[in-house]
Amino acid sequence: MRTNVSDAMRGALGNLLTRRISHPVSESDIRRWALAVYWPEKPPRVFVDAAHAPEEFNPFAWAVAASESTGKATSDANAADRTEQLAGVPGPGLQFQLNGGMESEYGTPIRPGDVITSENRLESYSEREGRLGLMLFTVTADTWTNQDGAVVKRTRSTLIRY
Amino acid sequence: MTQQISVAPTVGEELPPFVRETGFAAWNRYAAVNDEFVPIHMDDEAGRAAGYPTAFGMGNLQWSYLHVLVREWVAGRGRIARLSCQFRNPNLKGQTVTARGVVSAVNEDDGVISAELKIWTETQDGTVLAPGTATVVFE
């Protein structure tokens, strides 16, 4: 049976992909995020005042204060093999990738001044034939905590590659 | 006597829809805050090379729209405890995307009321883009 999942890839399950620490979240970060998401309408007052961030806010966009991985990725953040590069093994060599879906559980809201730590791990692989050929489904599990150690968010993401 | 205003939702209750147009104006703004300048979201040729008719929007923006939908319905009565979605179809350029939801279950546990929601985004012709679910806890 044809497969894109090598023994090395299976052996990498559970590996740390990235451990990232954000810069302190600013009021402007929160405000700009909400302005973009709610455009062309104005966002709710709670976000204009930056009392707390929207649940789906990304404090790691553009830059992080610190980052480490099991492996070393190339500079191309859009490379289809990036997951395996970070996991420290050769990737499947596929060309295209799509966001397949996400599931998040929310805890403590993100507020201005918070420093968020993310630990993202490779959880599982599966494959099935689809319209675009043999499709590789990769699930990663990401846990975010704030500077007090409180859980902010747990997210499982599915990457589809072909 | 002060009348207690119930915050409990009812099964079958529909969430007020959240509507947006797809295209570079919205996608570029989102790319700017989420650092998501990926060719398939920026350029029709890249979208076609990936097997689609045009460039298409970020799944993450659909994810945000579903959060907006639920937040606006909750309206300060509680919090989103969980939300999930699957990206089944791309949101191509030049479409109207509507985020919709319906209450599928209401639970009470130790005095805390929670609601399960069925949520999704769809295009103007009814094609479902991103079906999902959410759990809201009322406080």
Side-chain angles (χ1 to χ4, degrees):
Chain A
M1 177 181 293
R2 185 167 68 97
T3 179
N4 285 308
V5 184
S6 68
D7 288 344
M9 289 166 64
R10 292 205 182 278
L13 293 176
N15 281 9
L16 178 74
L17 297 177
T18 55
R19 182 175 188 273
R20 298 173 293 171
I21 302 176
S22 77
H23 291 290
V25 174
S26 75
E27 292 187 359
S28 289
D29 294 330
I30 293 170
R31 207 169 286 132
R32 288 195 178 101
W33 182 277
L35 284 165
V37 166
Y38 284 85
W39 184 86
E41 293 177 11
K42 292 181 179 179
R45 173 53 62 93
V46 66
F47 300 137
V48 175
D49 292 346
H52 62 80
E55 288 86 354
E56 79 280 11
F57 170 77
N58 180 10
F60 302 102
W62 290 106
V64 298
S67 178
E68 62 174 310
S69 305
T70 300
K72 182 174 174 60
T74 65
S75 58
D76 181 6
N78 296 325
D81 278 351
R82 183 174 177 81
T83 298
E84 287 72 29
Q85 292 167 358
L86 294 170
V89 297
L94 296 169
Q95 184 177 1
F96 299 110
Q97 57 186 333
L98 296 170
N99 187 342
M102 292 179 277
E103 177 172 6
S104 286
E105 293 180 7
Y106 294 106
T108 303
I110 294 176
R111 302 186 191 282
D114 279 353
V115 173
I116 307 301
T117 298
S118 151
E119 291 202 357
N120 193 23
R121 294 186 181 273
L122 178 58
E123 183 170 284
S124 69
Y125 289 116
S126 61
E127 292 181 294
R128 68 170 183 261
E129 286 288 339
R131 180 176 73 84
L132 301 165
L134 181 62
M135 303 172 79
L136 174 62
F137 293 76
T138 307
V139 176
T140 57
D142 201 351
T143 301
W144 293 5
T145 52
N146 68 15
Q147 65 282 353
D148 299 322
V151 174
V152 166
K153 181 172 178 171
R154 288 195 172 94
T155 299
R156 296 175 73 252
S157 301
T158 302
L159 178 67
I160 302 174
R161 290 177 278 181
Y162 55 100
Chain B
M1 177 184 295
T2 302
Q3 182 179 351
Q4 180 69 39
I5 301 175
S6 172
V7 301
T10 55
V11 172
E13 181 182 345
E14 293 185 7
L15 281 63
F18 178 80
V19 184
R20 285 293 183 271
E21 304 301 317
T22 64
F24 292 138
W27 299 344
N28 285 346
R29 283 170 170 81
Y30 188 75
V33 294
N34 202 34
D35 189 13
E36 202 163 348
F37 291 97
V38 182
I40 52 177
H41 306 314
M42 301 282 125
D43 179 65
D44 288 337
E45 284 192 21
R48 284 191 285 268
Y52 296 93
T54 67
F56 50 98
M58 304 84 164
N60 286 326
L61 184 54
Q62 298 285 296
W63 173 251
S64 280
Y65 286 168
L66 289 171
H67 281 80
V68 170
L69 170 79
V70 178
R71 279 197 290 266
E72 301 214 319
W73 176 71
V74 173
R77 296 176 291 161
R79 66 178 184 90
I80 300 173
R82 187 193 61 81
L83 196 147
S84 72
C85 79
Q86 298 178 343
F87 302 112
R88 296 287 179 77
N89 286 296
N91 60 118
L92 303 174
K93 273 191 338 184
Q95 298 185 315
T96 300
V97 168
T98 302
R100 299 185 187 278
V102 62
V103 178
S104 55
V106 177
N107 304 299
E108 184 172 355
D109 185 12
D110 199 22
V112 176
I113 296 171
S114 65
E116 299 295 322
L117 310 177
K118 179 185 175 185
I119 56 178
W120 68 96
T121 56
E122 65 181 33
T123 56
Q124 65 281 354
D125 62 1
T127 299
V128 174
L129 302 178
T133 61
T135 302
V136 171
V137 175
F138 293 87
E139 299 169 334

